[in-house]
């Protein structure tokens, strides 16, 4: 295990999650930021670096009264905040800043104070995908799965099993949106959205935000909260549109990011106690488990169906309920990080007993980007 | 949002859209490393050479993967398939499968397909694919 460079000393979500018609997207960022500052026992004057997605960094900085000397506006979709965390650690180590605030806020459901959802579509997408009847992520992100099913024999019931396992975690979490126990039959009886994907295999659309405060590991002691250390991190890109994905059964961005993050952290798969895999759709934990190397290609559907990622299983995964059941405002990666931090602090609603190492893995675009962070309760 | 989306060609993609209007599927190939590629660009994605040529694809392809949308989109009435096809020359592209029931039973992965073209504006024709055997 490597000696960590950086630590998370403040972490919080918005006061409310779910449907928040009384708050603009900007205020979701700020509400989360104020909660994270309070969590860390810091004020805006202590912050000299800022990173955010959705909104421009100058807006968030000015609104909170921060004059940053380091800025990261990377917005590659849902895994942006995992990249921000990685970039912040490097910037702090390089002496560019000392204390970084990372914010996320999205009025994904209520659409208060927002323009149209900016999916960062490119002109390649507009010319070579959009004219063929696509209408957003449920009609695009899902396209690889039939090829995966034919290659490995994954069944629709196993795909539904991902949602069932995550509902078991959500049932333990009072802040989760979908908490009622469910079954494979119920998932397979929900409305067809884009065959083979049914409504309950697709993420929620909700409102919320989250923020993190990052500083150097050696400055993280004697803080208001138990520090959560960043052991290693990585990021990767593959392609701007799903039609050009190299192999529909495996994400190159997942493989590259996951491999480098674990290698940089100096940990092996057996060291990992807790796992978060961004689940905008039910197939993503399947791709994530395989592409990060926790199981072999083609094994993840059965692995999940056997309950091995569910409560009581050997690899607790998406323990907040995930994007399928906890919340998903559009760019979910911040909530995966928040759950990783809670698990490492020992304060999660569905706490994994004795968990010391958490891997948080996110996706951006339609398998276009990935980022991975390895967190630890020990510095 | 009721109007179908019509591609707007750029200088780098014009040969492709002029091709579909002429009833041809035009790809590019690197003159140095022979890589056939899509989407269009004036250099090779495999070796970065600027020595590339446009050529006419056979239009023969196989169904690589798809979803069947159960929601309407501008110009499309559900259920309809959004498909990825793999061309005989190697590249893949997004398209629709026509002259075929839009059902999982009829849309068999790896089934052979042939390119056809559908006019969507005065100047733009979209590439579409139809089964070549039942």
């Amino acid at each position: 295990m490597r000696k960590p460079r950086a630590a998370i000393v403040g972490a919080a979500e918005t006061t409310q999650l779910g449907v928040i018609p009384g708050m603009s997207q900007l205020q979701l960022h700020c509400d989360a930021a104020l909660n994270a500052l309070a969590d860390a026992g810091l004020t805006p004057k202590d912050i000299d670096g800022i990173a955010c997605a959705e909104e421009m960094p100058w807006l968030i900085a000015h609104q909170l009264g921060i004059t940053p000397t380091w800025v990261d506006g990377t917005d590659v979709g849902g895994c942006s905040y995992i990249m921000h965390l990685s970039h912040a650690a490097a910037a702090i180590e390089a002496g560019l800043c000392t204390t970084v605030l990372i914010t996320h806020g999205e009025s994904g459901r209520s659409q208060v104070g927002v323009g149209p959802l900016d999916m960062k579509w490119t002109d390649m997408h507009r010319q070579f995908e959009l004219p063929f009847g696509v209408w957003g992520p449920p009609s695009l992100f899902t396209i690889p799965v039939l090829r995966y099913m034919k290659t490995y024999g994954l069944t629709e019931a196993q795909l539904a099993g991902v949602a069932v396992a995550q509902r078991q975690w959500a049932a333990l979490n009072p802040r989760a949106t979908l908490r009622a126990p469910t079954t494979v039959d119920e998932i397979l009886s929900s409305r067809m959205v884009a065959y083979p994907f049914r409504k309950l295999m697709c993420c929620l659309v909700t409102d919320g935000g989250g923020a993190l405060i990052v500083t150097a590991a050696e400055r993280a002691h004697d803080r208001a909260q138990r520090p959560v250390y960043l052991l290693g991190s990585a990021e990767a890109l593959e392609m701007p549109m799903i039609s050009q994905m190299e192999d529909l059964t495996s994400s190159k961005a997942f493989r590259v990011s996951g491999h480098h993050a674990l290698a940089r952290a100096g940990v092996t798969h057996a060291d990992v106690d807790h796992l978060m895999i961004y689940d905008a759709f039910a197939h993503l934990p399947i791709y994530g488990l395989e592409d990060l190397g926790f199981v072999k290609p083609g094994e993840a559907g059965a692995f999940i169906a056997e309950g091995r990622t569910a409560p009581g299983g050997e690899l607790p995964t998406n323990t907040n309920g995930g994007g399928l059941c906890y919340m998903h405002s559009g760019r979910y990666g911040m909530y995966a990080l928040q759950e990783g931090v809670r698990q490492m602090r020992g304060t999660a609603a569905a706490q994994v007993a004795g968990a010391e190492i958490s891997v948080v893995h996110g996706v951006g675009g339609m398998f276009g980007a990935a980022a991975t962070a390895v967190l630890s309760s020990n510095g | 949002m009721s109007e179908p989306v019509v591609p707007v060609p750029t200088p780098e993609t014009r040969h492709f859209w002029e091709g579909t209007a002429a009833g041809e599927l035009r790809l590019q190939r690197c003159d140095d490393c022979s890589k056939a590629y899509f989407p269009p660009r004036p250099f090779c994605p495999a070796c970065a050479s600027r020595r590339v040529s446009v050529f006419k694809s056979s239009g023969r392809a196989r169904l690589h993967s798809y979803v069947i949308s159960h929601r309407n989109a501008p110009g499309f009435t559900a259920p309809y398939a959004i498909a990825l096809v793999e061309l005989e020359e190697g590249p893949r592209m997004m398209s629709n499968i026509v002259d075929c029931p839009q059902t999982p039973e009829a849309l068999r992965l790896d089934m052979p397909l042939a390119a056809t073209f559908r006019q969507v504006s005065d100047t733009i024709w979209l590439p579409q694919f139809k089964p070549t055997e039942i």
Side-chain angles (χ1 to χ4, degrees), chain A residues 28-60:
Chain A
L28 291 169
H29 277 260
C30 294
D31 184 61
L34 294 172
N35 286 344
L37 285 164
D39 180 70
L42 297 174
T43 74
K45 302 302 175 204
D46 298 311
I47 304 297
D48 60 358
I50 192 157
C52 62
E54 302 96 25
E55 299 292 349
M56 293 300 286
W58 53 54
L59 174 61
I60 306 304

Side-chain angles (χ1 to χ4, degrees), chain A residues 350-365:
Chain A
Q351 181 63 42
V352 175
E356 295 183 353
I357 293 185
S358 172
V359 170
V360 178
H361 178 77
V363 69

